[in-house]
Amino acid sequence: MEQRTFHTWMRNALLWAALALILGIAAAWPLTGFTQCVTALAHSLFFFLSLFIFFVVLPRYCTLPIQIFIAMLTGALLGWLYTAFGYAPVITDYLGIFGKLFILLLKVVILPLIFVSVLCGVAGIGDVRKLGGLGAKTLCYYFVTTAIAVLIGLSVVNLLHPGVGRETLKEDVQEQNVSLQDTGVPSESLGTKIQKHVLPAIIRNPIMAGQSPVVVIFFALLLGAALATLGKEGETALHFFQALDKAFITIIMWVMKMAPIGVFALMARVLSELGPAYIITLAKYCFTVLLGLGLHFFVLTFVICPLLARISPWRFLRGMAPAFQVSFSTSSSSATLPVTIRCVSKRIGADESICRFVLPVGATINMDGTALYLTVASIFIAQVYGIPLSLQAQLMIFLTAVLASVGTAGIPGASIGLMSIILASAQIPVEGIGIVVGVDRILDMSRTLINVTGDSVGAVIVSRSEAGEAHNTHAT
Ligand code: ASP
């Protein structure tokens, strides 16, 4: 090993050992006897091993999704074991710090990221007034199908109630607080104080904290459209926002490096609070998301496509097969775009120049699968926490999901950050992301396929209608 690498490695190991020791001692405090000292050392070892495995060992051998998946399984197992042996506070109060840190860091950049990516997405379409009928049709189709997707999501999650039955979490937490206050024991441990007061006081967005996401997205839509109409004059500002967009994505990439330990801590906490029956709840959740996505796929290919584009579902499915394969395996609608354009224009026969406009716009702003997924996930989390959602709150979720999907990047896992926005706008605890993040990759593959399907059906419909209009013009 090179000497410098070895020094960095040793320095990190020492820092982690110190952090682990502090957490271990705090978790076993007060150290009044031999048993407490041994317990403190055991906890420290546990924290140190967690840091070592998630920051050194796993990044060397596995990709990020696999690391997150391993974190989910081990976190669940340890959360359950620790609670079974009566050490639940170590998980909730101390290991929980890593989960809280992960969520707060995500929240810091997500709202500004949404702002700039919605703005750049809308401005990228160009001057809407100049696009004329083609632009209007495309935007109208995208908006309506996204709204249908969200409605399907709302229906399945409200009919199947995958999270109901686990809503004891909120009551448990409340009861715990009350009983601690009754007995005169200080109601907050050091770890809880760090999570509740210290971290949120430091890690918060200085400009957009507390802003309503819908307000931010609406303003971004307006400003993006206005910049596009300015043409050359608006270019400098647009370049500035595009650079900012890249900077925020870079921060997200940094934050994602701590995703495995964050997920590990969040899963351990969820298991220690909800118990092992949570695994069944999670399976129900996956089923609900997949059912919703399946229904939307059916509506797009078997109803909308033959009805509006006069293309048989079988021809559409056969033509799209390569794009389906790529989107499913990459979980990225942006990466799939060249294949999508080829499938829709060459294999299905839509007009190529129309595809070259409609599909890139779709890959930027039209995310049916993502919008549906965000809706189901948010309401599922509310069900798990036992938070009743009024019609007004569900409408808010509808609106935020439709608008937020406009700002989703077509890259793997983009929805995870967005979820914090939807949860915050419906007043659902953002920590709930920890309940669903472990199975995100599997669902990401499926929702990306639906995103690509939505864009492609749009392209064939617009192409068909433009061809119809051209035909009519020639005839007259
Ligand atoms: N992976 C999705 C896509 O590329 C976005 C998401 O995370 O929902 O379309």
Side-chain angles (χ1 to χ4, degrees):
M1 195 186 294
E2 235 183 80
Q3 208 181 6
R4 236 181 85 213
T5 326
F6 180 72
H7 278 151
T8 322
W9 195 89
M10 277 302 287
R11 197 191 55 209
N12 286 348
L14 278 175
L15 275 175
W16 292 334
L19 177 66
L21 200 64
I22 294 169
L23 287 176
I25 292 174
W29 196 260
L31 302 184
T32 41
F34 180 70
T35 331
Q36 280 87 349
C37 288
V38 173
T39 315
L41 280 178
H43 290 331
S44 303
L45 193 67
F46 162 69
F47 287 125
F48 182 74
L49 280 179
S50 311
L51 289 167
F52 185 73
I53 290 171
F54 287 112
F55 282 109
V56 179
V57 183
L58 288 183
R60 274 199 186 181
Y61 301 106
C62 325
T63 57
L64 192 63
I66 305 270
Q67 289 176 45
I68 295 181
F69 193 68
I70 295 177
M72 185 190 95
L73 294 183
T74 46
L77 186 70
L78 272 161
W80 175 55
L81 281 178
Y82 254 71
T83 311
F85 286 105
Y87 290 118
V90 180
I91 298 291
T92 48
D93 299 0
Y94 294 94
L95 188 66
I97 293 175
F98 296 106
K100 184 81 185 179
L101 198 63
F102 174 56
I103 297 282
L104 284 174
L105 286 170
L106 265 184
K107 271 173 63 182
V108 165
V109 270
I110 281 301
L111 208 49
L113 174 67
I114 285 259
F115 177 75
V116 287
S117 58
V118 169
L119 188 152
C120 295
V122 173
I125 300 173
D127 189 343
V128 186
R129 292 171 309 180
K130 289 190 195 136
L131 290 175
L134 178 67
K137 263 182 230 165
T138 308
L139 295 185
C140 187
Y141 163 84
Y142 283 156
F143 179 75
V144 171
T145 47
T146 307
I148 295 177
V150 174
L151 280 180
I152 292 178
L154 278 174
S155 313
V156 284
V157 74
N158 278 304
L159 281 174
L160 297 183
H161 304 297
V164 173
R166 308 298 317 149
E167 61 272 63
T168 44
L169 175 60
K170 203 172 138 210
E171 288 153 29
D172 284 355
V173 174
Q174 276 166 359
E175 261 171 36
Q176 215 177 332
N177 286 343
V178 170
S179 65
L180 284 172
Q181 276 155 12
D182 286 352
T183 49
V185 177
S187 59
E188 280 181 351
S189 66
L190 178 66
T192 317
K193 275 188 193 138
I194 292 177
Q195 289 186 54
K196 268 198 186 166
H197 309 293
V198 182
L199 295 180
I202 305 167
I203 309 170
R204 50 154 62 210
N205 188 282
I207 306 162
M208 291 186 173
Q211 286 291 352
S212 152
V214 182
V215 173
V216 171
I217 297 171
F218 180 71
F219 184 60
L221 284 172
L222 271 187
L223 192 59
L227 281 179
T229 56
L230 284 183
K232 277 232 164 301
E233 274 179 281
E235 267 174 15
T236 321
L238 203 56
H239 287 151
F240 166 76
F241 284 120
Q242 277 161 350
L244 219 51
D245 194 24
K246 284 196 188 129
F248 287 140
I249 290 181
T250 310
I251 300 181
I252 294 277
M253 297 294 183
W254 289 342
V255 177
M256 285 314 276
K257 283 202 193 314
M258 77 162 291
I261 186 113
V263 169
F264 174 71
L266 289 166
M267 275 304 284
R269 183 180 187 138
V270 167
L271 246 285
S272 91
E273 283 169 343
L274 296 182
Y278 159 70
I279 303 292
I280 298 165
T281 313
L282 201 62
K284 280 198 219 158
Y285 159 73
C286 291
F287 174 74
T288 312
V289 174
L290 293 175
L291 179 70
L293 292 174
L295 283 175
H296 190 62
F297 186 73
F298 181 82
V299 171
L300 285 172
T301 50
F302 283 82
V303 182
I304 299 183
C305 189
L307 221 61
L308 299 181
R310 306 248 176 269
I311 287 182
S312 91
W314 309 118
R315 188 174 142 207
F316 178 80
L317 292 177
R318 234 179 298 122
M320 287 299 293
F324 288 158
Q325 282 161 358
V326 178
S327 59
F328 193 73
S329 50
T330 59
S331 292
S332 165
S333 39
S334 296
T336 316
L337 187 59
V339 188
T340 317
I341 295 180
R342 200 169 49 80
C343 288
V344 181
S345 58
K346 297 275 183 305
R347 292 171 61 104
I348 302 181
D351 184 296
E352 190 163 348
S353 60
I354 290 182
C355 288
R356 290 202 175 274
F357 166 73
V358 177
L359 288 171
V361 172
T364 321
I365 64 165
N366 182 48
M367 302 269 172
D368 293 2
T370 299
L372 188 152
Y373 166 76
L374 288 171
T375 313
V376 176
S378 315
I379 297 185
F380 167 75
I381 293 170
Q383 288 173 350
V384 171
Y385 277 91
I387 300 170
L389 289 175
S390 61
L391 192 65
Q392 202 188 347
Q394 300 219 13
L395 266 177
M396 194 64 185
I397 291 180
F398 172 88
L399 202 66
T400 327
V402 172
L403 291 177
S405 69
V406 174
T408 314
I411 52 170
S415 294
I416 285 299
L418 279 179
M419 204 182 289
S420 63
I421 290 195
I422 314 236
L423 294 177
S425 72
Q427 322 232 309
I428 303 165
V430 176
E431 285 68 21
I433 294 178
I435 303 177
V436 295
V437 74
V439 287
D440 184 67
R441 184 60 185 223
I442 308 160
L443 303 175
D444 195 4
M445 295 162 89
S446 320
R447 66 179 183 254
T448 307
L449 191 147
I450 305 298
N451 289 343
V452 169
T453 311
D455 300 344
S456 311
V457 172
V460 288
I461 292 175
V462 175
S463 165
R464 171 86 199 182
S465 83
E466 290 289 309
E469 268 171 30
H471 182 76
N472 287 343
T473 324
H474 288 308
T476 49

